[in-house]
Amino acid sequence: MKYVIVTPGGMVQYDVPIMKVQTYSLDDIFEKGLLMLIPFYIFSHEKRLPEYNNNEQKLAELIAEYQEILHRLDELEQQEVIGAFDKRTIIDLSGDVINQIAQKYKNVQKGVGGMMRGALIETSARTILSQGISQGISQGISQNQKETALRMLKSGKLTIEEIVEYTELKISEVEQLAGLQTV
């Protein structure tokens, strides 16, 4: 496509590459690594959505095609070509696009859109991430309690027992901080 800008000083012309998502098959998308097109793949079926909505066999074929997409994404994740986050993002975006484009077609939304909103599978990477987040939060809270206790000690207005009560630290922890303060 050509983009032309006409100004009083002359004309400038740019070539702009354009992709038509509808012209890419699933094989093209996966072979060329154009995974970002998967959420928009439903556009290649847009004209046939009324048919899918009213014909169970055709809908089953469309569902099978999206099951193939999920299967291929699983394979790419297992081969470590993509990560769990990328795979989930593609699936979530696909579900969002399907729900928008198929608003009038409840059977399509229920069949394909429901599949793309499927349950989030707990992977070991996701489990490790969750554990890391929890551990980070706990360490942050503990560090904050110790910093607060140290400020309280420095003020000299509270006893160790009162500081323990306010910060939920152990007496030994506050005593250790008090010992560090005097050094």
Side-chain angles (χ1 to χ4, degrees):
M1 180 175 204
K2 303 244 185 254
Y3 188 75
V4 179
I5 301 174
V6 180
T7 66
M11 180 178 78
V12 179
Q13 181 174 310
Y14 297 98
D15 290 326
V16 179
I18 298 207
M19 308 176 82
K20 287 191 173 188
V21 176
Q22 293 92 333
T23 63
Y24 285 87
S25 70
L26 268 183
D27 289 334
D28 291 336
I29 290 171
F30 280 96
E31 286 170 13
K32 295 177 181 181
L34 300 172
L35 302 179
M36 76 276 194
L37 296 182
I38 291 173
F40 307 102
Y41 180 72
I42 191 70
F43 286 109
S44 65
H45 293 284
E46 187 173 16
K47 292 179 182 174
R48 297 186 2 231
L49 289 177
E51 180 183 358
Y52 294 135
N53 198 57
N54 297 320
N55 184 325
E56 286 184 31
Q57 182 181 348
K58 294 289 183 183
L59 180 59
E61 291 171 10
L62 182 64
I63 290 170
E65 192 168 36
Y66 273 86
Q67 286 172 332
E68 174 67 18
I69 291 171
L70 293 174
H71 175 72
R72 287 174 118 176
L73 288 172
D74 284 341
E75 285 179 349
L76 290 175
E77 181 185 17
Q78 289 169 3
Q79 296 166 3
E80 297 182 357
V81 173
I82 62 173
F85 179 79
D86 294 329
K87 176 182 139 189
R88 189 75 229 165
T89 300
I90 292 168
I91 292 170
D92 287 345
L93 290 173
S94 297
D96 291 346
V97 173
I98 289 166
N99 286 333
Q100 287 300 312
I101 199 169
Q103 282 182 356
K104 296 185 271 184
Y105 308 104
K106 297 300 176 198
N107 292 334
V108 174
Q109 267 193 353
K110 183 178 165 186
V112 180
M115 178 177 35
M116 299 309 277
R117 286 187 307 271
L120 183 64
I121 299 169
E122 190 67 27
T123 64
S124 59
R126 210 171 276 118
T127 302
I128 291 167
L129 176 63
S130 295
Q131 289 171 346
I133 290 170
S134 294
Q135 186 178 13
I137 290 170
S138 295
Q139 288 175 353
I141 290 170
S142 175
Q143 182 64 32
N144 186 46
Q145 288 173 330
K146 289 177 182 176
E147 289 170 3
T148 300
L150 195 53
R151 282 194 301 275
M152 290 175 172
L153 283 167
K154 285 181 181 178
S155 75
K157 296 180 181 177
L158 298 171
T159 66
I160 289 179
E161 289 75 19
E162 290 171 321
I163 294 171
V164 167
E165 183 180 332
Y166 293 130
T167 63
E168 298 180 8
L169 291 172
K170 296 177 184 170
I171 288 181
S172 61
E173 292 173 310
V174 176
E175 289 173 341
Q176 183 181 10
L177 288 171
L180 291 175
Q181 180 192 357
T182 58
V183 171

